[in-house]
Amino acid sequence: MSLDPLSVVTPARVKILLLPIGDIKQSRFTGFVERLQHENVVRLGNVSPDSRPYRTMFSPLAFPQGLVLYDLSISLPPPSHLALAPFELFRMPLVVLGIADGKDIAGDSSRSDHSSRQDERLGLRIGGDTLADGGHESLSRSLVDLSEDFPQALVHQILVFDHDASPLPEGVFPVPSPERSKTTTVKTVMCDLTARLLAEMTPYAKSLQGLSSLDSPSISRKSTAPNGTASALPSHMSGLSRSGSAVERSRSFSPIGDRPRSASRMPLTAHITSRPGSRESTPDSRATSPPGGIRTPPTTFDELAEGLPVQSRQKESSYEKKRAESRDRVSVNGAGASGLGERERNKGKGRIGVVIGAMYLLAGRWPDAMKELVQSATTARASSDYLWHAKALDYILVCLFMYAWAGMDFRIPDNFYPGLERPSSSSSKPSSHTPSYSLPDLSSSKNHDPADRVESLRSLKNVLPDVTNNILNLYARAWTFTEDKLPPLAFSQAALRFAKLLAVIQTSGGDLNDGVLRYLILNVALYRRGNEESGNTTLQPKADLVTLLFRAYPRPLSESSISTSDRIMILAGIASVLSELGYHRKKALILKELMSALLPALVQARKDGAAEMGVHPAASLASLNATVGTLPAESPGEVAGEREQGMQYFLSLVCQTYGVVPCDAVSSGDYVDQQTVLSNAPSAEAIIARAIQQASMKLHGPQDLKIDVLRSCISICEALPDLGGTLRYSAELLRTAGSGIAPGPESRDGSPDLPIEEQVRLANNISRTLSAARHLGLRHPEAEYWDDFLLRGVEAVDTNPSKSLLSHAKSELELVETIEAKKERNTFIYNPFLKPKSSATAEPVLVAQEETFFRVTLQNLYDFDVVIERVKLASDGIPFDCLSQPTMIGPYRTQSMLLSGIPQSSGSLAVNGCIAKIKGCRERSFPIFNEPWALKPDVKGRDVGLTRKSRPKSTASDPNKAKTHRPPKGPTAATLPLNVIGAQPNIVMKSISLPQSAIMLLEGETKNIHVTLQNTSRTTPVDLLLLSFNDSTASQLQSAIANKELSVVDLYELELATARKPSFRWLRKDDNRELKIKPGQEMTLEIEILGKPGLLWGTIHVDYGNIGIPKTDIKDRFFTRQLSILLTVTVNSSVELVRNDLAPLNSDLTWHKKLRQQNSDLELDSPHHYQPSITASDVTFTNTGVNSILNHLKLSPPFTPHILLLLDLRNSWPNTITLTLEIGLSPSSPFHQASRPSIQPQKTSTQTHQLNPGTTHRIPLVLPRLRVNNPYAPIPTLNQATKRQFVVSATKNTPEAERAMREAFWYREALLDHISATWEEESTGRTGKVELRGARLTARMVAAFKLEDLDIQMTVVGAEPGVGDAVKQTGYSKFEVSTSSFLALRTTLYNRSESPIKPLLRLQPALANQPHNIALDLGKKLLVNGVLQRALPTLGPEERFTVETGFCALSQGIYEWGASVEEVQAQGRKKPRESEGRARARTGDFDVQEDGGRRIWYAEGGCVIVARNEDG
């Protein structure tokens, strides 16, 4: 894992520069670097000390617990960084390592043109010959080149990887392959390297100690480097280059190189080592050097620059006199008035001590570093050297963290706290000053008290905010009050390190523990805890951390000496810390500023590149990218690939920060076939999630900012140049500016947030970039389409309705066969083959090997044309061949097109989208989004910001009752399920017996037609054929039946018209024969059509199919096709019933004037069982019609009472019609036997009448009076499926009104059962039936037609023998008697009902034709023997009882005897007994029966007696 460059311990890392040697491949070089990276921490206890006594200043034996941290880099730091040394020595590479591949030495690999161009492009080639050619000589020459090119480094060394320990040149060391290496092989290499580094640091440190002072880093003037960036390299370092031509090669122990005489400040780097070929650089020469050969430290900069040793104090004084004018040229040992003041000398020693302490820190000698730094900090503070004082405190802070990381106990020095008093001037003297820091014996202490360490860490954490602010304030004070002005780069990076340190502690819960230390030192992953989780309430406010962080913000580029690269690095660091703190909006602003700084630099680099190529900067993209084609294919391990990937990652991070949802495109590198692209395409769930995220991000943050950021990304990618990035962010801009919704048909919110001109420009830019990429040879550099809602609907289209398939269940077939098995078809029985095609199947059904068409709906919400090169359906399941078609969608519209496909076999098929290739975009799949969708805004503000984090739970509320926040509902990806069945036949109508499929009928007329069908299929027979019918009256009747306000009587009439009188009927000749039509054969069907009023059209539905198995073997469902034959029907009026009337007939009309037998004890039989004895010839009628009817009935008394029915019939047809009436009970009554009248069927009689055109005829009919057993029975319903629980009228009728309605209904049905009528047109032979159901009965008609439950008949007989001649019957109930004769009134009661009656008979004699008071005054006119009111025995059903009452008429007159019978006990419902429990609830019909009171019957007409005197 790479180290964090913003870590607070960065000054404790030794920078190593790694360079490739020879023809090493990029992948192998990276692998070798990784092997070294794993061992970047070296413990001093494992390092062998140098045997030379004068190289022991940094000996590892002084502190074995120390650790050396290495920062491995493969690039040279910028000159602005190198210019800060030795003030910040960690910036300079102290070690330069060459990495060579051992296979090249063995001659196993050869240098190719590709690798040569790669090395030259990367600028990493060292040496002129290949390793395989030169062998040892090549390695030696490469090592010399390293020393010449990087003279400031202390150690130059070459490592040959994957090479055995064979003899190698001096300074070149082998590293075996991993297979032959031990666990400690690479660690040993790093330890040996550390030993050499510690040895070479000693002369460098001693040369520094020989100086009187060091200059502070200066702010150099901005100069333009060859690459167009500002250079911060001082003038004496301007000659540094890889060739090393301007670098002095002489070996010197001075820390400075060649310096002009006029320079007033010391250089910031030191050239310590000389060439490897010199004698002094060899280990032998170093080992044989005498200890006493250490030269006297130089006293002036001139001596250091010229490398001359100082031999005497006199020469040193002469140099001081010559350089007395310069404040920087001081003598080390000078004193007195001629020398500088003691304050300046102390300041110089303090500065040198800071650098020495930094070297101890790099060497892992932390106690020595702490000692030097504490003393130097005290000296710098006393000398008011703010800059070096701050740097010393900075190094002390690093030392404390290194102690803490190593797990050692430490104490914070007193001068580290910012609140101490400034020491007196006398304390600045080194001789009299006692450091306040006491160094503990850390090397000898092995076990430390954990409590002390925890307390030390807590103290360090608490003092960090003040110390960091103090250090930055000291830097600022030095800038204000002294000439030592710290370069802005160093100040900004120091502020960044401190802010990053405090931010890490803040985000880890405010604890400075081992995890935080490992993260700071080694960049190990850290578990971050929130403030609530840690419970630490002493955290520094984030606002203070942000204030500290923004002190690192650089000035504008025009006002600052910071180069563009350094400015970009600082802005990136600020953004990183803001991200740690959670300030995403501030981070977004910084990133936008970073892009603003990066774009001009890239544009300038593009101009420079164009100038080098000799083309104009405004040339086409292809010209500026001409060299792209020479680059090798990208691979994950290449540095160039990593660099490009890093830039893409940065741009993606910026877009994500501003709320732009990323949408990755296909790589533009290697060839990727279509199947791989489609297999890697995002799923429907991923597309839905991306749509939700995009819509959510669209609601948060200004849309203009997102668009501006994407425009900047496009400009950066064009300046790089990055063709893939240009395509990606152009598509991202279109996607982000889009509405992100699936608009409905009437929606107007789908327009993007870009002007039309910019939309068109982006579309053209995508096309232009694609053209340039193809011109350069790049494959598949295509963008991602910007609208996921391209496909708005897919549906199967029936181009031929006669071939559409209908799905049926097995039970439906069984039901239809049951219906056809009945002689009379009930229309109300469910016929599944009559349902509409749209609802006949739940899913579309296809037929194998038959072409099917689909309607595909596409949308384009942008204001430019979208050209689709090809589009086809995407499906799962059985093989499905779909043809691709091109199309173009116009600007801002929804457009439909037809796509066809052929399923190859039977099975399940699911269409889940389409695969489209849009011009300029990669081919991808699009799900189906049928329904409109738009994300609802969060009005409650639960989701605010770029990252929706969970809210902190309230401690006052119950967590169990907390409501979970539901995620937003996204669009639903639809799927079109399809079922593919086997081959099916095809039937067409070959012929029909009707011309032009039209027919004319009269009302009531029936006619048969013939339809011929033919199976046009060549291979598939028809083994299932079903017929169903539909007509214009069916829908009208169904609509009327559905009316809830309809009365029960009207509902019955409508249901009867629907069920009993169908308009169409199939006349099958052989019901038991299965219907089959073989391929190519025909079949003729016979259909009967009935003329009904309102019949305008009719449809014959022929459902057919091929099941292929017996009907009993059908398991679940089967499919049929339907052929519909439409017929036009015209129905004209024929004979219609205009009105009807009913009146009772007088009984005297049929009574014989003379009785054949005088029998006073005549037993009257039941009217329903005896035949009257009188004939019509005995009576003379004036009405010939009635006479003929009576003659036809042949009735003889006693007889049943009759009524007279009058029918008015009208002939509406223009021709004469013969009408035939039949009278008699029909044997096929539609009523149940319990509801029929209690009469026996009689012989029918027929009447014939001629009806002239346009005339109305009144026809009289004599019918017997009837009695219905239960006239209050509920009115039945013929549709059992819709039978209601309470079959009553919808109107609020009273029970009396309901009884009257039901009684009229049942007597009307009894009447219609006795009469029927047919008509015939003799001229044409047309016949039909007359509709008589239009007859209605009023209450008067019902009373005249019905017979009471109890029949009362009265006759007069003689009371004594021989008195019979005194009685003479003159009418049905008229008698003539003699006065003063003893007579008897015989009253006969007959019970017609089914229940017994307990009667109470009341007789009431009165004078006829008299007022009421006179009529009842019979005291002297009539004598009655007995009582007029008496209780009679109970009469059972069909029983009769006769009662005689004696009377004698005393005077002449006309007497009327009335009779009434009242029930003694009502025959109502019985009350339940207590033991029987509660009575059953009335859940059936509405109770309209009589209320249970006593009924009363009256004799009809009474008995009229005419009393006459015998002599009169």
Side-chain angles (χ1 to χ4, degrees), residues 1103-1121:
D1103 292 273
Y1104 63 94
N1106 177 266
I1107 302 177
I1109 58 176
K1111 298 178 182 179
T1112 56
D1113 296 341
I1114 299 176
K1115 296 182 179 180
D1116 187 12
R1117 307 189 70 84
F1118 65 97
F1119 297 90
T1120 62
R1121 281 176 171 168

Side-chain angles (χ1 to χ4, degrees), residues 951-959:
R951 287 188 168 193
K953 297 181 179 179
S954 175
T955 56
S957 61
D958 187 1

Side-chain angles (χ1 to χ4, degrees), residues 1011-1014 1025 1073 1075-1077 1081-1085:
V1011 178
T1012 302
L1013 305 178
Q1014 183 181 11
L1025 184 66
R1073 182 174 61 89
L1075 300 178
K1076 292 186 178 180
I1077 306 177
Q1081 293 188 357
E1082 302 174 359
M1083 173 180 285
T1084 301
L1085 306 176

Side-chain angles (χ1 to χ4, degrees), residues 573-590:
I574 295 175
S576 175
V577 178
L578 288 174
S579 179
E580 293 276 351
L581 296 175
Y583 286 87
H584 298 288
R585 284 185 292 183
K586 290 183 174 62
K587 170 188 172 183
L589 296 177
I590 295 299

Side-chain angles (χ1 to χ4, degrees), residues 64 236 327 1046:
H236 69 280
R327 296 177 56 188
L1046 202 63

Side-chain angles (χ1 to χ4, degrees), residues 1121-1327:
R1121 281 176 171 168
Q1122 189 177 83
L1123 174 64
S1124 298
I1125 304 173
L1126 180 62
L1127 302 179
T1128 302
V1129 183
T1130 302
V1131 179
N1132 295 324
S1133 299
S1134 57
V1135 178
E1136 58 182 354
L1137 177 63
V1138 179
R1139 69 182 64 87
N1140 66 284
D1141 195 2
L1142 189 147
L1145 282 178
N1146 194 341
S1147 301
D1148 294 340
L1149 293 177
T1150 57
W1151 183 82
H1152 200 279
K1153 295 181 180 180
K1154 296 179 180 180
L1155 295 175
R1156 295 181 178 179
Q1157 182 181 0
Q1158 298 294 333
N1159 188 0
S1160 60
D1161 298 329
L1162 180 63
E1163 297 289 342
L1164 296 176
D1165 295 331
S1166 173
H1168 301 288
H1169 298 281
Y1170 80 96
Q1171 297 293 334
S1173 59
I1174 65 173
T1175 60
S1177 60
D1178 299 327
V1179 184
T1180 302
F1181 297 95
T1182 58
N1183 191 322
T1184 57
V1186 176
N1187 189 18
S1188 62
I1189 293 174
L1190 292 176
N1191 292 334
H1192 182 74
L1193 290 176
K1194 300 183 183 298
L1195 298 176
S1196 60
F1199 60 92
T1200 302
H1202 287 71
I1203 60 171
L1204 179 62
L1205 176 64
L1206 300 177
L1207 299 177
D1208 293 345
L1209 299 174
R1210 178 180 176 82
N1211 180 12
S1212 301
W1213 187 242
N1215 298 329
T1216 302
I1217 291 179
T1218 301
L1219 178 67
T1220 302
L1221 292 172
E1222 294 183 358
I1223 303 172
L1225 184 62
S1226 175
S1228 59
S1229 176
F1231 303 101
H1232 195 272
Q1233 186 66 26
S1235 301
R1236 290 184 181 181
S1238 56
I1239 59 176
Q1240 294 294 331
Q1242 299 180 2
K1243 184 179 180 181
T1244 60
S1245 60
T1246 303
Q1247 297 182 22
T1248 303
H1249 302 274
Q1250 294 291 330
L1251 302 181
N1252 295 324
T1255 60
T1256 301
H1257 296 261
R1258 174 166 291 182
I1259 302 174
L1261 298 176
V1262 176
L1263 299 176
R1265 294 177 65 185
L1266 304 175
R1267 176 190 173 274
V1268 177
N1269 292 334
N1270 186 12
Y1272 307 123
I1275 300 175
T1277 176
L1278 301 180
N1279 186 6
Q1280 299 297 328
T1282 60
K1283 184 177 180 180
R1284 288 175 266 177
Q1285 183 177 6
F1286 299 98
V1287 187
V1288 296
S1289 176
T1291 59
K1292 302 300 182 180
N1293 290 339
T1294 62
E1296 292 78 8
E1298 189 71 22
R1299 283 195 295 269
M1301 182 184 66
R1302 293 187 180 184
E1303 188 179 35
F1305 171 79
W1306 287 114
Y1307 279 100
R1308 173 175 170 270
E1309 294 299 318
L1311 175 63
L1312 294 176
D1313 275 351
H1314 283 74
I1315 58 174
S1316 62
T1318 60
W1319 59 266
E1320 180 182 1
E1321 185 182 7
E1322 297 180 355
S1323 61
T1324 59
R1326 292 176 178 268
T1327 60

